[in-house]
């Protein structure tokens, strides 16, 4: 079976300091993969390389068998890649459904039609409300982003990514800043994503995130130091040393 994501000897340095150092990994279709590591381990840099927000210094990135390391981000999105960000990136003065409709328009040829208002596209708004229903927010579709809670904004970001019908979804700390109750809701949302979508997840909430993934990759100083199942990774002395705090 062709991997959903295949990375080979990927490298990226900033001012001579390696942020991603010879990283190789494979994620199979439908898999839930967790990326963990201490602050500065290179997790978000890895995501930015996968999406094309950063260009690698060396190495390869394949999406469903296709080499994409030189493709621009929108080309990768058209091949089924979507993501959320560690810092929420929404339009606060627009409604929830408008934000979702915009995310769909970005993958449509209609984005070039500057003479027609977005609100004219009833199908985009219908799909936006359907996706908001998937994340439990359809009743807030016409609320402005600035009027909803932080946890609801996190759900909107996931909805924006799901609205693009991705085959590979990257979630960058989706539980960050959430209350315990909000974390439970977002965790259930992520767990309910269809297996037609492969999920790659960065998260610091170990207790919750470990339950979401079949396999875990541990990064430290930009390198993969441990990879395996939950039991294998938790038992590995290198994980305890660099991430769980054991010396």
């Amino acid at each position: 079976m062709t991997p959903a994501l295949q990375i080979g000897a990927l490298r990226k340095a900033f001012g001579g300091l390696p942020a991603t150092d010879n990283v190789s990994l494979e994620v199979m279709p439908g898999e839930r993969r967790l990326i963990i590591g201490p602050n500065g381990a290179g997790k978000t840099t890895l995501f930015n390389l996968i999406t094309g927000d950063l260009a690698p210094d060396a190495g390869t990135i394949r999406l469903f068998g296709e080499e994409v390391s030189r493709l621009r981000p929108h080309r990768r999105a058209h091949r089924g890649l979507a993501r959320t960000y560690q810092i929420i990136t929404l339009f606060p003065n627009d409604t929830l459904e408008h934000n979702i409709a915009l995310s769909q328009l970005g993958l449509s040829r209609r984005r070039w039609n500057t003479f027609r208002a977005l609100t004219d596209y009833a199908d985009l708004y219908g799909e936006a409300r359907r996706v908001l229903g998937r994340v439990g927010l359809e009743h807030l579709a016409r609320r402005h982003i600035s009027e909803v809670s932080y946890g609801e904004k996190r759900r909107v970001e996931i909805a924006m990514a799901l609205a693009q019908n991705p085959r590979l979804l990257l979630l960058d700390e989706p539980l960050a800043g959430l209350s315990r109750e909000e974390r439970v809701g977002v965790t259930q949302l992520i767990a309910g994503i269809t297996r037609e979508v492969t999920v790659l997840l960065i998260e610091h909430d170990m207790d919750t995130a470990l339950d979401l993934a079949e396999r875990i990759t541990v990064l430290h100083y930009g390198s993969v130091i441990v990879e395996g199942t939950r039991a294998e990774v938790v038992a590995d002395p290198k994980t305890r040393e660099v991430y769980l705090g054991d010396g």
Side-chain angles (χ1 to χ4, degrees):
M1 182 182 295
T2 301
L5 174 67
Q6 188 174 31
I7 294 172
L10 197 63
R11 296 181 181 178
K12 181 66 179 181
F14 299 100
L17 181 67
T20 304
D21 190 6
N22 204 38
V23 169
S24 296
L25 61 86
E26 288 188 356
V27 182
M28 301 307 293
E31 184 180 333
R32 272 63 179 138
R33 175 69 64 92
L34 174 63
I35 307 292
I36 64 173
N39 290 332
K43 303 182 296 295
T44 295
T45 297
L46 177 61
F47 267 27
N48 288 337
L49 291 167
I50 294 170
T51 59
D53 292 323
L54 288 174
D57 297 330
T60 59
I61 303 169
R62 294 182 179 275
L63 294 179
F64 302 96
E66 180 184 0
E67 165 60 51
V68 299
S69 58
R70 299 303 170 188
L71 292 184
R72 296 179 65 83
H74 71 279
R75 296 293 184 189
R76 302 185 199 195
H78 278 283
R79 284 158 174 78
L81 177 62
R83 74 170 293 180
T84 65
Y85 289 85
Q86 184 177 354
I87 299 173
I88 289 177
T89 54
L90 301 171
F91 295 101
N93 296 323
D94 288 326
T95 63
L96 275 65
E97 64 181 3
H98 190 83
N99 274 264
I100 305 297
L102 278 172
S103 71
Q104 298 173 80
L105 186 66
L107 294 179
S108 169
R109 291 183 178 180
R110 290 178 288 184
R111 69 185 183 277
W112 303 114
N113 187 350
T114 58
F115 299 102
R116 189 174 179 184
L118 180 61
T119 50
D120 290 341
Y121 297 119
D123 60 319
L124 294 184
Y125 278 82
E127 178 64 13
R129 285 187 288 273
R130 187 190 71 80
V131 175
L132 285 169
R134 289 177 62 185
V135 301
L137 295 177
E138 186 177 8
H139 64 294
L140 299 177
R142 295 188 176 179
R143 289 272 187 93
H144 288 86
I145 293 293
S146 59
E147 298 174 334
V148 300
S149 71
Y150 186 82
E152 288 163 342
K153 291 173 185 175
R154 282 288 181 193
R155 287 174 176 264
V156 173
E157 279 218 316
I158 295 173
M160 289 177 67
L162 292 175
Q164 299 171 42
N165 294 314
R167 293 192 292 164
L168 175 61
L169 176 60
L170 311 185
L171 300 175
D172 193 348
E173 296 193 34
L175 306 179
L178 302 184
S179 67
R180 179 176 299 179
E181 182 178 345
E182 288 171 333
R183 286 200 301 271
V184 170
V186 173
T187 299
Q188 291 173 343
L189 167 60
I190 296 170
I193 294 173
T194 173
R195 286 285 172 164
E196 294 177 357
V197 181
T198 305
V199 178
L200 191 61
L201 172 74
I202 294 173
E203 188 49 61
H204 282 295
D205 184 347
M206 288 277 287
D207 291 338
T208 301
L210 287 172
D211 290 334
L212 289 171
E214 291 98 16
R215 293 187 64 80
I216 301 160
T217 299
V218 184
L219 290 180
H220 188 49
Y221 291 125
S223 298
V224 175
I225 61 167
V226 183
E227 188 170 279
T229 65
R230 171 178 178 160
E232 291 168 343
V233 168
V234 170
D236 194 294
K238 292 190 290 292
T239 304
R240 295 197 299 271
E241 180 179 352
V242 306
Y243 194 82
L244 301 178
D246 290 352

